[in-house]
Amino acid sequence: FNLGNCNIAFAEFWGIFYGCSVVWSIGIKAVMIESDSETTVLRMIPQGAGHCLPFFCIIETIRELLNRDGSWRLKYAPRGEIFVADWLGKESLSLDRGLIVYNEPPPGVFNLLIADT
């Protein structure tokens, strides 16, 4: 997922939104969302945000997705402990802007998947 040059919180919220949308659309209803943005993302999503905050709409949309039937969990994962996410974030910088959905793990992440487990 590549948004180009933007605020980190903006990228985190949009990444969570698109991730939730994709897994919901293919029928996955049990998801753990890991983020290294504890204060900005993982606290604002469960608590909601005031109407005056710039991320209000995206936060409320994510909250609606998470409140659908299913088992959704938000979890803090310190930077450097979610190897695949870090790799994908760096890799996205060399890709066109927009969302890319992989049907299988890209070749560069096989060992990282093992490390993440």
Side-chain angles (χ1 to χ4, degrees):
F1 185 69
N2 184 348
L3 291 172
N5 188 13
C6 68
N7 178 290
I8 293 170
F10 182 78
E12 289 277 342
F13 287 127
W14 277 102
I16 290 171
F17 166 73
Y18 276 117
C20 290
S21 298
V22 168
V23 298
W24 187 265
S25 71
I26 60 175
I28 297 172
K29 305 223 180 204
V31 177
M32 178 183 300
I33 301 164
E34 294 182 331
S35 174
D36 64 1
S37 181
E38 182 178 26
T39 54
T40 305
V41 175
L42 297 180
R43 289 187 186 162
M44 291 180 89
I45 291 173
Q47 296 171 1
H51 288 76
C52 62
L53 291 176
F55 303 120
F56 171 76
C57 290
I58 189 73
I59 291 169
E60 289 306 307
T61 303
I62 292 168
R63 287 169 51 84
E64 287 176 19
L65 283 169
L66 299 181
N67 285 325
R68 292 181 179 176
D69 292 338
S71 174
W72 301 81
R73 211 172 117 203
L74 295 167
K75 178 185 172 194
Y76 172 67
R79 185 176 304 264
E81 290 187 15
I82 44 178
F83 301 110
V84 173
D86 290 341
W87 185 91
L88 288 170
K90 290 173 188 159
E91 181 70 12
S92 74
L93 298 174
S94 65
L95 303 173
D96 291 333
R97 289 188 179 146
L99 177 67
I100 296 174
V101 177
Y102 294 99
N103 292 320
E104 58 186 52
V109 302
F110 288 107
N111 290 337
L112 299 175
L113 284 168
I114 294 166
D116 275 352
T117 57

